[in-house]
Amino acid sequence: MKLSVVIPCFNEEQVIAEVNKRLYTLMNSYIEKELIGDYEIIYVDDGSSDGTLPVLKRLAEADKRVKTISFSGNFGHQPALTAGLYHAGGDMAVSLDADLQDPPEIIEEMIRRCKDGADIVYGVRDDRQEDTWFKRASAMAFYKFMTMMGVNLIYNHADYRLLSRPALDAFKRYGEVNRFLRGMFPSMGFKHSIVTYKRERRFAGTTKYTLKKMVSFAVEGITSFTNFPLRLAFVLGFINFLAAIALGIWTIVNKLQGSAVPGWASIVLPMYLFGGIQLMFIGILSEYVGKIYMEVKRRPVFIIRETYNLGNDSGGGVSNPRRNKDIFDKNQGNSP
Ligand code: UDP
Ligand code: MG
């Protein structure tokens, strides 16, 4: 069993040596305990402008199990994670932040859960006292809002998670460019498990998520997972349309009672009516645009975890299911 550890780094020169030391000790203790057979640590340098890359290069030179991917510029946290996971060669891969806010010690429990059959193990923060008030409030509002719009999210789970090989292979089949990983994994199916932890204080340096990055991250999450905002057009248009009809009836009643203002109905009613009809049809148009958007992402229609007695396997019927990983790999293909 080999474990890959994926760490995105953006201007993290102050923390890398420490995280590497912690992981080195931890991984070797796991090998001693025979929890894993081997490991690799993949650092992804997301276009850092400080000394991150030289530090990573030195670590890679000193130890073959340390690998480094360096981007040509700053592509962002989610693309960095994606690159790391694509290059992970282990039977399991765990991703965590470079700043030690996600305590690496819980990887042990994650591995155990994976061995017990979970394909995706989510790290969930049950204590965020170390975060600022603003970070906690904005994160909570975001999770609530996303859930309201029907996006499947794990509350208080960020990007600290462990994936089995089948989950990693499935991940590689997602062809979309806009990536919101914490929405993608829950949409994949698979058996999952949750390990909770206390979010620590950043080991050194400051947050690399500026307000601008946070907002664009939230917008990405919303627009890549739900057509809810598009549907609003239809709902509002329909309400407007109904209001115009009611107003029309009210005008006729008024007219019959002889209290109508001349010219009012012929100006105001069409405004409401056509406003409503237009919004409604923009809403319908949006449904199709939304469909096109979902189609161009080329998400897998289904994900097979394993097959039994399919193809050249001569196992003994359903009573003797035999896992056939070769077929899984052949069928799924990897399309980065
Ligand atoms: N990160 C990255 N690219 C970016 C921003 C952040 O690779 O453009 C990395 C960063 O180095 C860290 C992780 O993403 O390992 C999480 O960032 P940070 O700790 O600054 O976010 P916070 O914990 O404050 O939300
Ligand atoms: Mg952090």
Side-chain angles (χ1 to χ4, degrees):
M1 268 274 190
K2 181 175 168 183
L3 174 71
S4 304
V5 183
V6 172
I7 304 183
C9 310
F10 177 55
N11 293 343
E12 302 281 15
E13 66 175 344
Q14 288 167 288
V15 301
I16 288 166
E18 177 68 18
V19 79
N20 199 67
K21 207 170 75 194
R22 286 261 289 270
L23 283 172
Y24 182 82
T25 321
L26 212 57
M27 291 303 133
N28 286 308
S29 78
Y30 292 170
I31 290 179
E32 246 165 56
K33 286 185 205 165
E34 294 184 356
L35 199 62
I36 55 173
D38 192 12
Y39 70 91
E40 62 178 357
I41 305 177
I42 304 175
Y43 292 99
V44 185
D45 166 39
D46 182 16
S48 301
S49 52
D50 66 352
T52 299
L53 188 57
V55 175
L56 292 179
K57 271 189 186 157
R58 264 202 305 280
L59 290 174
E61 271 161 23
D63 186 349
K64 278 264 163 299
R65 287 173 297 196
V66 174
K67 295 161 190 184
T68 294
I69 297 167
S70 173
F71 282 178
S72 57
N74 181 228
F75 285 78
H77 183 203
Q78 306 288 300
L81 278 170
T82 305
L85 292 174
Y86 269 41
H87 287 87
D91 304 290
M92 297 171 282
V94 61
S95 55
L96 71 160
D97 289 354
D99 57 6
L100 290 168
Q101 284 194 289
D102 309 330
E105 285 70 26
I106 68 161
I107 295 176
E108 175 163 356
E109 182 58 25
M110 288 178 152
I111 296 173
R112 290 190 199 283
R113 299 284 176 95
C114 184
K115 287 189 169 174
D116 286 345
D119 282 302
I120 308 178
V121 185
Y122 298 105
V124 168
R125 315 147 169 177
D126 62 353
D127 181 346
R128 316 184 51 144
Q129 288 310 315
E130 292 295 344
D131 278 336
T132 62
W133 173 87
F134 177 72
K135 185 99 186 173
R136 263 181 290 158
S138 58
M140 192 167 96
F142 177 65
Y143 285 111
K144 290 257 154 75
F145 188 55
M146 290 293 275
T147 315
M148 189 198 88
M149 290 190 299
V151 182
N152 193 0
L153 277 189
I154 307 277
Y155 187 65
N156 263 342
H157 158 68
D159 287 299
Y160 192 8
R161 72 177 81 77
L162 184 133
L163 304 164
S164 67
R165 179 43 56 186
L168 265 172
D169 287 339
F171 173 68
K172 287 189 179 175
R173 295 178 60 215
Y174 280 64
E176 59 218 68
V177 175
N178 297 301
R179 283 178 171 264
F180 180 68
L181 302 192
R182 54 193 85 166
M184 278 163 75
F185 287 102
S187 74
M188 272 182 199
F190 287 119
K191 238 188 250 159
H192 76 264
S193 182
I194 285 174
V195 177
T196 56
Y197 66 95
K198 176 178 180 298
R199 187 161 157 91
E200 302 289 343
R201 187 174 297 219
R202 200 174 222 290
F203 177 73
T206 52
T207 178
K208 304 300 175 292
Y209 258 95
T210 54
L211 188 63
K212 192 170 151 232
K213 274 186 183 163
M214 260 161 74
V215 171
S216 82
F217 177 73
V219 171
E220 182 110 310
I222 294 165
T223 54
S224 21
F225 273 86
T226 166
N227 290 338
F228 182 84
L230 293 180
R231 284 210 173 115
L232 273 184
F234 181 81
V235 174
L236 288 181
F238 191 63
I239 291 172
N240 206 332
F241 178 73
L242 289 183
I245 303 258
L247 207 61
I249 295 171
W250 181 75
T251 315
I252 292 168
V253 171
N254 254 1
K255 172 90 181 158
L256 292 178
Q257 288 172 348
S259 64
V261 180
W264 184 87
S266 60
I267 294 173
V268 175
L269 278 185
M271 257 167 55
Y272 277 87
L273 191 69
F274 289 116
I277 290 175
Q278 275 173 2
L279 252 185
M280 239 160 71
F281 277 90
I282 290 176
I284 292 172
L285 202 66
S286 303
E287 280 297 316
Y288 288 93
V289 174
K291 287 273 177 315
I292 295 169
Y293 179 53
M294 291 300 167
E295 286 294 333
V296 295
K297 282 196 204 185
R298 302 229 138 268
R299 281 199 185 165
V301 180
F302 53 82
I303 292 168
I304 299 171
R305 191 188 180 283
E306 52 203 336
T307 57
Y308 302 96
N309 289 348
L310 201 73
N312 54 4
D313 181 348
S314 55
V318 187
S319 58
N320 179 20
R322 202 177 111 185
R323 195 168 151 164
N324 196 334
K325 269 203 99 199
D326 281 351
I327 290 179
F328 174 84
D329 291 338
K330 256 182 252 155
N331 279 353
Q332 309 287 306
N334 296 337
S335 48

